Amino acid sequence: MPLDERDYVRGKHPPSCTCEDCCESRLKQLKKEVHPEYVSYCPKCGQKSLWHKVKEQKYECLNLKCKYVTSSPNSIKTQYSGNETSKNNRPRTVISPISNWLKALLLIFTFSFLGLIFSTLIGSSIPFWILFEFSIIFSIEKWFSYYTRKHKWIGKLYRLILNLSILSLLGLLIWSGIRLFSGRFTYSALVGSLIFLAEFIFFIWMWSVISKNSWRWPSMKLTVFSLICLSVVFAFAGVQPMASYKNEAIGKVTAFFNEQKENAATKSEQVVITDTNTETGGGNFISKAIDSVGDIWDTRVADYASKFNQYRQSKELTALEFTDDLNRIADLRLKELYTNYSHNSAGNYNEHLAENIVMSTGFLSNSDALASWQNSPGHNANMLDSSYRYTGYAIGNGYAVQVFTEYPTIDGEPQLPPGWYWGN
């Protein structure tokens, strides 16, 4: 072609270039995006390389050894019947669209069946979902990419599915890696390593597919931003499990700031009181450090046990024993109160136990919890019940729980005497 038609400034050839490199590139591109309305079999060379130029209303063979050009559509064949110039005289048939659907269905069924077998053998559903998702995306890329380009809404939906798939796969990779390196992934370290390797290979392949479709909308940034916004809205709207995650995160942040506030207040409010020792003539002093707000911010179980039993003994009642088992049950109930403040335990931890609970919008100390229950007739009755011998206590994040029972417990269940049982 003439030199003046070449774009040497950008190092690219114009779209109408007919040099050998451009023809080869055009032929490769057409083979990737075959469409029966624009590509046909050349009646001269028999290859599927006859390109229909719609604007010029002519047909041009992109095979450099043929270069057949015609303007008559009557000479175009959708099925090559062979001629003397062809090396292979066997006819070539045009693959109908239905065969692509059959191929895709067969591939999806085969890979899903294999994934189901692997999942059954190792006791995990990960292989099934990996092979199932791979077969679907591979089928779309292999046989149905034309439809994702022709119909914009299908292309947008396909890109959204790709974005969500690779994000979920990334989360699966992180989760599998944590479980694998902590020895809690599968029954065998070898099987877990192979699954993790398969996830990693699938992630790389998915990344290449998304890079190939990077021109589509929506972008990955928009998808991630939309997911974050939806998660925040659902969390504050009370949709589970986002609401539980939000409450847990807020609880941890609140506990952290309360701890910092407690440390700062303890240091700033520490007062040193100095008394004169008169027995030594008044010249010597005894210095004693007293924490004036330590009682306000104390949340230790031992501190509450001391205050609680002092209160019972002031009412001429015996002290209760704070057991490790009931302290653990109280801590489990405390975590339930973060999301459901009621006496209804999802884990039935308090099924056969008496229970006191309290909630505060600000910081809650042992003294606050005890005073609140003393001012409530029902809660005060539990604390002063003479039949109880064992108790457990937990406090944190503005909540407090105390459970009571007459009998020793195992996993929070009171052990009744032989022959006794719980009535309806």
Side-chain angles (χ1 to χ4, degrees), residues 159 162-163 166 204-216 220:
R159 177 59 195 274
L162 289 178
N163 292 344
I166 198 169
I204 295 177
W205 181 80
M206 281 289 299
W207 188 269
S208 64
V209 173
I210 290 182
S211 299
K212 182 180 176 182
N213 294 271
S214 60
W215 56 273
R216 298 181 188 273
M220 182 63 71

Side-chain angles (χ1 to χ4, degrees), residues 102-396:
L102 290 177
K103 286 182 180 180
L105 291 176
L106 182 61
L107 180 68
I108 295 173
F109 175 78
T110 303
F111 276 68
S112 300
F113 183 72
L114 292 176
L116 186 61
I117 294 177
F118 292 147
S119 298
T120 304
L121 292 177
I122 67 177
S124 175
S125 61
I126 294 178
F128 170 77
W129 289 111
I130 289 179
L131 292 177
F132 177 72
E133 187 175 357
F134 169 77
S135 61
I136 291 180
I137 297 178
F138 179 82
S139 300
I140 295 176
E141 289 291 320
K142 180 69 175 178
W143 296 300
F144 305 110
S145 60
Y146 164 74
Y147 298 101
T148 63
R149 295 175 182 269
K150 181 179 179 181
H151 305 285
K152 291 184 178 180
W153 68 272
I154 296 180
K156 294 178 181 179
L157 178 62
Y158 177 56
R159 177 59 195 274
L160 179 61
I161 293 175
L162 289 178
N163 292 344
L164 296 177
S165 298
I166 198 169
L167 290 176
S168 60
L169 184 58
L170 178 60
L172 178 63
L173 264 176
I174 297 174
W175 178 84
S176 301
I178 295 175
R179 302 278 292 187
L180 176 63
F181 293 113
S182 61
R184 297 180 290 114
F185 191 22
T186 57
Y187 64 91
S188 172
L190 177 61
V191 174
S193 301
L194 292 177
I195 294 177
F196 182 78
L197 182 61
E199 294 174 0
F200 184 72
I201 295 175
F202 183 44
F203 179 82
I204 295 177
W205 181 80
M206 281 289 299
W207 188 269
S208 64
V209 173
I210 290 182
S211 299
K212 182 180 176 182
N213 294 271
S214 60
W215 56 273
R216 298 181 188 273
W217 186 90
S219 63
M220 182 63 71
K221 294 180 180 179
L222 179 61
T223 304
V224 173
F225 179 76
S226 301
L227 287 176
I228 294 175
C229 293
L230 286 176
S231 300
V232 172
V233 171
F234 289 160
F236 284 93
V239 179
Q240 297 295 341
M242 279 74 76
S244 300
Y245 297 152
K246 182 260 296 180
N247 293 334
E248 183 177 357
I250 293 178
K252 291 181 178 180
V253 173
T254 304
F256 173 78
F257 283 106
N258 287 337
E259 183 179 358
Q260 299 300 319
K261 182 179 179 181
E262 176 183 351
N263 295 336
T266 303
K267 294 178 181 178
S268 62
E269 296 293 336
Q270 192 174 41
V271 180
V272 177
I273 300 179
T274 306
D275 295 329
T276 303
N277 189 346
T278 58
E279 295 179 357
T280 58
N284 297 330
F285 296 92
I286 300 175
S287 298
K288 182 180 180 182
I290 301 176
D291 188 356
S292 62
V293 294
D295 179 70
I296 299 177
W297 297 100
D298 205 333
T299 58
R300 294 172 299 170
V301 176
D303 174 76
Y304 178 81
S306 176
K307 291 181 173 62
F308 173 79
N309 284 324
Q310 286 179 6
Y311 175 60
R312 280 182 61 92
Q313 291 171 352
S314 67
K315 302 296 183 180
E316 298 182 354
L317 298 172
T318 59
L320 299 187
E321 180 182 351
F322 284 75
T323 66
D324 294 338
D325 183 62
L326 289 178
N327 287 338
R328 182 179 60 84
I329 295 300
D331 186 65
L332 293 175
R333 282 289 296 129
L334 182 70
K335 295 177 180 179
E336 289 184 336
L337 295 182
Y338 295 161
T339 56
N340 181 23
Y341 183 73
S342 69
H343 288 288
N344 298 323
S345 172
N348 292 326
Y349 300 121
N350 59 353
E351 183 177 5
H352 297 135
L353 301 174
E355 181 183 75
N356 285 353
I357 60 175
V358 65
M359 177 184 67
S360 174
T361 56
F363 182 80
L364 182 69
S365 67
N366 291 333
S367 300
D368 297 333
L370 184 62
S372 175
W373 289 331
Q374 289 173 344
N375 295 328
S376 172
H379 296 92
N380 192 51
N382 282 338
M383 294 193 298
L384 299 180
D385 194 317
S386 60
S387 64
Y388 295 145
R389 297 171 54 197
Y390 305 96
T391 185
Y393 176 75
I395 188 172

Side-chain angles (χ1 to χ4, degrees), residues 59-78:
Y59 298 83
E60 176 186 358
C61 182
L62 298 180
N63 184 6
L64 297 179
K65 297 180 179 180
C66 178
K67 297 182 179 181
Y68 178 76
V69 178
T70 180
S71 60
S72 174
N74 298 326
S75 61
I76 307 305
K77 300 180 180 179
T78 58

Side-chain angles (χ1 to χ4, degrees), residues 15 20-36 38-40 47-52 62-63 141-142 145-146 148-149 212-213 215-216:
E20 183 175 355
D21 293 338
C22 292
C23 290
E24 287 291 342
S25 176
R26 199 179 310 163
L27 180 59
K28 290 180 181 179
Q29 184 66 21
L30 289 176
K31 287 183 177 180
K32 289 183 179 180
E33 303 175 3
V34 175
H35 188 270
Y38 299 102
V39 182
S40 305
Q47 293 190 12
K48 196 168 187 179
S49 58
L50 194 66
W51 174 251
H52 179 203
L62 298 180
N63 184 6
E141 289 291 320
K142 180 69 175 178
S145 60
Y146 164 74
T148 63
R149 295 175 182 269
K212 182 180 176 182
N213 294 271
W215 56 273
R216 298 181 188 273

